Amino acid sequence: MATVTHSIPVVDLAAFTSGDAKSKTGFVQALGKAYEEVGFVAVKNHGIPDALIADLYKYVQRFFALPPDTKYQYEIPELAGQRGYTSFGKEHAKGFDAPDLKEFFQFGQTVEDEDPIKEEYPPNVEVKEVPEFTPTFFKAYRAFEKSGRYLLQAIALYLDLDEHYFDGKIHNGNSILRAIHYPPITQEPRSAIRAEQHEDINLITLLVGASADGLQILDKQNNWVPVTSLPEQIVVNVGDMLQRLTNNRLKSTTHRVVNPPREMWHTSRYSIPFFLHPQSGMRLDCLESCVDAAHPLEYAPITAGEYLDERLREIGLKK
């Protein structure tokens, strides 16, 4: 498979939120077409403040620089990596045995209303050594939720659904903000891949400014394409839940993280994706409008919670 370079489509979220009907329609069509053809877009004017992104990376780097014994205090095995710290080499891509070369920290939903779904979520893990860590993650989580909601409203319109089809389903949803650290490579690696090829589990993933190159997507011609976004953009891709809901109309794109050139082995790579999940009870049964003679039904009925559980077992986080 070759590696080629071409840019992923860029869309401007301000065109959707501006209130101008023509701009909004243009955004919906551009986003939907990009998700049918590529599965990834870069989004500008995404509404997540630059200062918040800078703080997020600052405190994430501070956390991962803590001594291993300190970080291990924040690893809670019974939570299957869904909250707190997961140490190096625990997770692998579906279908691969070799662990990914990363450690990560996960921050989840904080239910602030009377929604009984609160009982489903474990509390977030507070990092005592970096007091700003938790409040910054909370702020960023809410900002990602807001941007993600707008993007899902546009996707709903593209699919001829009510604009607010997803709103209630993602309110107090099981989304995860994950901070990933790929440490420096200190010996000849077994593989050229820091994170093996995979698709995301959720509805959509919002990725804000990874600290170094390395992300690649697999295009329709089976070429690996490097993805780099400009500093003012975030990268947003379709996950398997949305692919399943749309009976493969919107594509969940295969992607991976490759090792840097040898002269950069001494460097760390940091990445902070927001995996936007609905509440566990959302049905992922294929939309009737996406099933016809040319596109027969591809998936059995399942809920988001059942599907997540199945996938966490496949990637080694749940036993």
Side-chain angles (χ1 to χ4, degrees):
M1 272 180 235
T3 300
V4 298
T5 303
H6 56 67
S7 57
I8 60 172
V10 179
V11 295
D12 184 349
L13 188 56
F16 185 77
T17 57
S18 66
D20 176 72
K22 191 178 174 191
S23 300
K24 188 171 180 176
T25 301
F27 178 88
V28 166
Q29 291 308 310
L31 184 71
K33 184 167 179 282
Y35 281 156
E36 282 196 14
E37 294 175 1
V38 185
F40 265 77
V41 294
V43 180
K44 60 183 183 179
N45 291 315
H46 47 75
I48 300 157
D50 289 345
L52 180 55
I53 294 168
D55 280 352
L56 199 54
Y57 272 96
K58 179 168 69 179
Y59 300 130
V60 160
Q61 291 180 25
R62 209 172 280 176
F63 170 77
F64 285 120
L66 293 171
D69 285 351
T70 305
K71 289 186 286 190
Y72 291 147
Q73 293 173 28
Y74 299 109
E75 187 160 30
I76 306 164
E78 60 270 22
L79 294 184
Q82 294 309 288
R83 298 291 185 276
Y85 177 64
T86 296
S87 51
F88 188 79
K90 287 279 174 71
E91 185 181 69
H92 58 83
K94 178 182 173 181
F96 293 87
D97 293 330
D100 289 341
L101 308 179
K102 67 189 181 194
E103 55 181 345
F104 57 89
F105 190 101
Q106 295 207 155
F107 186 91
Q109 183 63 262
T110 307
V111 176
E112 295 183 288
D113 55 19
E114 300 303 309
D115 193 336
I117 200 164
K118 185 174 188 169
E119 300 304 313
E120 282 188 28
Y121 301 139
N124 278 303
V125 176
E126 296 217 19
V127 177
K128 296 190 292 288
E129 291 77 6
V130 188
E132 308 91 343
F133 187 90
T134 300
T136 304
F137 262 68
F138 176 76
K139 258 188 266 182
Y141 190 103
R142 287 290 184 250
F144 276 113
E145 275 190 318
K146 186 176 180 185
S147 298
R149 188 169 67 246
Y150 285 134
L151 289 162
L152 284 171
Q153 286 170 357
I155 289 166
L157 289 170
Y158 186 74
L159 295 169
D160 295 322
L161 299 167
D162 180 88
E163 180 175 343
H164 301 288
Y165 175 84
F166 290 102
D167 289 11
K169 296 172 172 58
I170 62 170
H171 174 68
N172 288 334
N174 194 18
S175 298
I176 292 289
L177 184 56
R178 173 187 276 197
I180 307 172
H181 175 221
Y182 301 92
I185 297 166
T186 54
Q187 59 195 51
E188 196 69 41
R190 287 193 320 185
S191 158
I193 309 293
R194 271 176 157 168
E196 193 50 86
Q197 64 183 66
H198 64 283
E199 296 80 41
D200 293 340
I201 300 170
N202 39 286
L203 290 168
I204 55 174
T205 301
L206 294 79
L207 174 68
V208 57
S211 68
D213 293 345
L215 179 64
Q216 297 181 341
I217 65 171
L218 191 63
D219 71 10
K220 292 278 193 357
Q221 290 70 46
N222 250 17
N223 297 311
W224 285 107
V225 182
V227 172
T228 49
S229 62
L230 297 172
E232 70 276 10
Q233 297 173 353
I234 60 173
V235 174
V236 185
N237 61 280
V238 172
D240 283 350
M241 287 185 180
L242 191 56
Q243 174 173 275
R244 196 176 181 112
L245 184 73
T246 63
N247 198 38
N248 295 337
R249 181 176 170 189
L250 303 187
K251 295 285 188 284
S252 177
T253 304
T254 302
H255 52 287
R256 66 183 185 181
V257 177
V258 296
N259 295 342
R262 187 176 283 266
E263 64 272 16
M264 299 297 286
W265 276 10
H266 64 285
T267 61
S268 280
R269 181 182 193 271
Y270 299 92
S271 175
I272 307 178
F274 180 76
F275 300 118
L276 200 158
H277 284 261
Q279 293 195 6
S280 59
M282 180 185 175
R283 303 290 320 172
L284 297 178
D285 310 0
C286 298
L287 296 166
E288 286 181 17
S289 60
C290 295
V291 180
D292 57 29
H295 307 91
L297 185 69
E298 297 281 352
Y299 300 104
I302 198 168
T303 65
E306 290 164 345
Y307 185 61
L308 174 62
D309 191 67
E310 180 183 297
R311 289 292 298 274
L312 290 177
R313 291 176 198 284
E314 287 173 345
I315 62 175
L317 287 179
K318 251 191 176 177
K319 298 295 181 253

